[in-house]
């Protein structure tokens, strides 16, 4: 469907929903469209990212196919959401490429190969790439610290810069005409919605993750994966403190904080990724957009491969495979961060921005006499 047709179709369905409002209470999309009859492109970008794809309105809708109204809000908003990513990504030129999920995989593999080649060329002793003894400083005998830190820092900086600029562009596109005070007051409730993934609760009983039965599976799997990711971030931070503040060189003992956090985080990430992939595989395909499914799966597989390479390095660090695994893991991490702004990861800041607008509008409505909703 062309973007013009998609816009017209989303506007048509939302106008029917506005007249119906049977699903009011399922999620913040319905309060946001209440009494609205015109939906500009910016409104569609906002609403599509406010939708958490819980599918509650699909299961509840009396106008879903085969009814002639053919309402399928989750699938339509998912398609509009992909369009919003492409419209606001930075650099803009890469926005179109984002529409091809395979690109992120190719980008990560390409960057990992580039890193490997650079590591081999810069290595003072190629033999060191095939050794491993697990003693302090062993990692740096394979790869010099400046190369490790430089590649990690460069790729992280690139990811943060691209995601921040894309989010800023998106926010400018959807920002409500409210005073700054109203936006600031909305930060707290919006943050609460973001951290708890409240809207993956489908208004209380849960999402229709797989079929019409309410479930909290996706919400739980998502929480587990994010908690695991935070564990690995904390592991990196503590390792950095060990290195720079105490002069203790990696690899660290199995009972050390960086290793415990990294191992626990990695296992939790794999559990969350496995849960989300299973839900994606079993889910009813009708209320979904095939392109979004591909983006989800590509992102989860990439994240899983990076996590597995980290755990493999941990498990085999005392063997001759350590050198190769270290280069593989760092190459994958480098590639992953370089590709991150063009993967499904962009949904997180865009959804956060949409939730901030929803919270700000709810706060503003509360202050107007005769207005309802929160
Ligand atoms: S999804 Fe269907 S039932 Fe729900 S508000 Fe829209 S038209 Fe009404
Ligand atoms: S799929 Fe869920 S979050 Fe999206 S519009 Fe329907 S009820 Fe709201």
């Amino acid at each position: 469907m062309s973007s013009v047709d998609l816009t017209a179709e989303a506007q048509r369905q939302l106008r029917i929903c506005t007249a119906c409002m049977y699903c009011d209470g399922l999620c913040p999309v319905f309060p946001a469209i209440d009494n609205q009859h015109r939906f500009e492109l910016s409104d569609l970008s906002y609403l599509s990212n406010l939708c958490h794809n819980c599918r509650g309105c699909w299961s509840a809708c009396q106008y879903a196919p085969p009814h002639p109204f053919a309402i399928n809000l989750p699938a339509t908003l998912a398609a509009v959401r992909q369009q919003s990513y492409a419209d606001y990504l930075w650099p803009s030129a890469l926005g179109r490429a984002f529409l091809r999920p395979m690109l992120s995989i190719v980008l990560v593999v390409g960057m990992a190969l580039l890193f490997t080649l650079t590591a081999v060329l810069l290595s003072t002793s190629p033999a060191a790439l095939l050794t491993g003894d697990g003693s302090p400083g062993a990692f740096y005998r394979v790869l010099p610290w400046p190369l490790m830190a430089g590649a990690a820092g460069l790729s992280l900086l690139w990811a943060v810069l691209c995601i921040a600029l894309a989010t800023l562009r998106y926010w400018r596109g959807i920002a409500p005409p409210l005073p700054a005070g109203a936006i600031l007051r909305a930060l707290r409730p919006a943050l609460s919605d973001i951290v708890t993934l409240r809207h993956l609760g489908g208004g209380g009983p849960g999402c229709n993750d797989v079929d019409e039965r309410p479930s909290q599976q996706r919400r739980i799997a998502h929480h587990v994966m994010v908690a695991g990711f935070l564990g690995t971030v904390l592991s990196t931070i503590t390792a950095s403190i060990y290195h720079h503040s105490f002069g203790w060189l990696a690899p660290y003992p199995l009972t050390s904080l960086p290793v415990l956090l990294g191992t626990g985080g990695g296992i939790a990430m794999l559990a969350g990724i496995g849960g989300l992939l299973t839900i994606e595989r079993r889910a009813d395909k009708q209320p979904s957009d095939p392109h979004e499914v591909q983006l989800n799966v590509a992102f989860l597989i990439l994240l899983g491969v990076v996590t597995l390479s980290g755990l493999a390095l941990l498990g085999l660090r005392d063997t001759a495979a350590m050198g190769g695994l270290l280069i593989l893991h760092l190459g994958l991490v480098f590639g992953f961060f370089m590709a991150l702004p063009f993967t499904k990861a962009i949904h997180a800041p865009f959804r956060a921005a949409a939730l901030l607008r929803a919270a700000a509008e709810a706060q503003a409505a509360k202050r107007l006499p005769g207005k309802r909703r929160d």
Side-chain angles (χ1 to χ4, degrees):
M1 192 185 289
S2 74
S3 60
V4 176
D5 291 346
L6 177 61
T7 301
E9 176 59 12
Q11 289 167 331
R12 179 189 77 83
Q13 293 195 24
L14 285 168
R15 275 196 294 269
I16 293 173
C17 287
T18 307
C20 167
M21 288 303 277
Y22 178 74
C23 296
D24 194 14
L26 283 183
C27 78
V29 169
F30 295 95
I33 64 172
D34 192 15
N35 281 323
Q36 277 218 48
H37 302 286
R38 283 176 60 86
F39 297 98
E40 307 294 343
L41 271 178
S42 60
D43 297 320
L44 296 181
S45 292
Y46 161 56
L47 295 167
S48 64
N49 284 283
L50 196 56
C51 168
H52 285 52
N53 198 22
C54 80
R55 300 154 174 245
C57 60
W58 166 255
S59 299
C61 188
Q62 61 267 42
Y63 301 124
H67 190 282
F69 284 178
I71 300 294
N72 188 343
L73 212 48
T76 305
L77 290 182
V80 175
R81 200 156 49 236
Q82 313 313 304
Q83 191 60 47
S84 77
Y85 298 156
D87 288 345
Y88 291 105
L89 278 187
W90 189 90
S92 313
L94 291 175
R96 298 292 126 195
F98 179 82
L99 294 173
R100 298 186 198 98
M102 280 305 289
L103 184 86
S104 57
I105 295 177
V106 172
L107 198 55
V108 172
V109 172
M111 289 289 167
L113 286 175
L114 180 70
F115 179 87
T116 306
L117 192 64
T118 310
V120 172
L121 288 176
L122 292 184
S123 172
T124 46
S125 161
L129 301 178
L130 300 172
T131 59
D133 56 29
S135 62
F139 288 169
Y140 309 111
R141 287 192 286 280
V142 175
L143 281 179
W145 184 84
L147 179 62
M148 282 196 210
L154 183 75
S155 57
L156 189 60
L157 201 66
W158 165 255
V160 170
L161 177 76
C162 293
I163 291 174
L165 289 177
T167 308
L168 191 64
R169 294 180 75 198
Y170 176 67
W171 176 249
R172 283 191 178 144
I174 67 154
L178 291 172
I183 307 285
L184 286 175
R185 277 192 299 278
L187 279 175
R188 199 169 146 190
L191 195 62
S192 162
D193 288 347
I194 294 163
V195 171
T196 61
L197 295 175
R198 179 161 77 97
H199 302 299
L200 276 184
C207 286
N208 298 116
D209 290 325
V210 174
D211 50 34
E212 292 192 355
R213 283 169 297 182
S215 139
Q216 299 282 353
Q217 289 174 25
R218 194 150 69 96
R219 191 181 190 184
I220 293 169
H222 197 290
H223 273 316
V224 169
M225 185 184 73
V226 172
F229 177 74
L230 292 177
T232 61
V233 171
L234 282 176
S235 164
T236 308
I237 292 172
T238 48
S240 180
I241 293 171
Y242 278 22
H243 184 110
H244 294 288
S245 303
F246 303 113
W248 300 339
L249 298 182
Y252 301 112
L254 289 176
T255 51
S256 66
L257 202 52
V259 174
L260 289 175
L261 284 167
T263 310
I267 291 170
M269 278 176 78
L270 287 182
I273 290 167
L276 289 172
L277 281 173
T278 305
I279 293 167
E280 204 70 73
R281 187 176 60 78
R282 291 172 49 212
D284 178 7
K285 300 289 178 285
Q286 221 178 333
S288 64
D289 175 66
H291 182 259
E292 183 167 74
V293 173
Q294 288 170 18
L295 276 183
N296 291 346
V297 170
F299 177 71
L300 290 170
I301 288 175
L302 280 175
L303 195 57
V305 168
V306 174
T307 310
L308 268 177
S309 69
L311 288 174
L313 174 61
L314 184 74
L316 299 173
R317 63 188 186 162
D318 294 331
T319 71
M322 184 272 272
L325 283 172
L326 178 67
I327 292 175
L328 176 72
H329 178 59
L330 291 178
L332 286 171
V333 170
F334 175 68
F336 183 73
F337 279 118
M338 293 301 283
L340 195 66
F342 316 110
T343 67
K344 182 62 197 287
I346 199 69
H347 83 282
F350 277 31
R351 188 155 288 158
L355 284 168
L356 181 60
R357 171 172 164 178
E361 288 180 339
Q363 299 267 327
K366 270 188 199 166
R367 293 176 168 240
L368 291 176
K371 280 268 183 183
R372 55 179 275 247
R373 303 210 170 277
D374 47 31

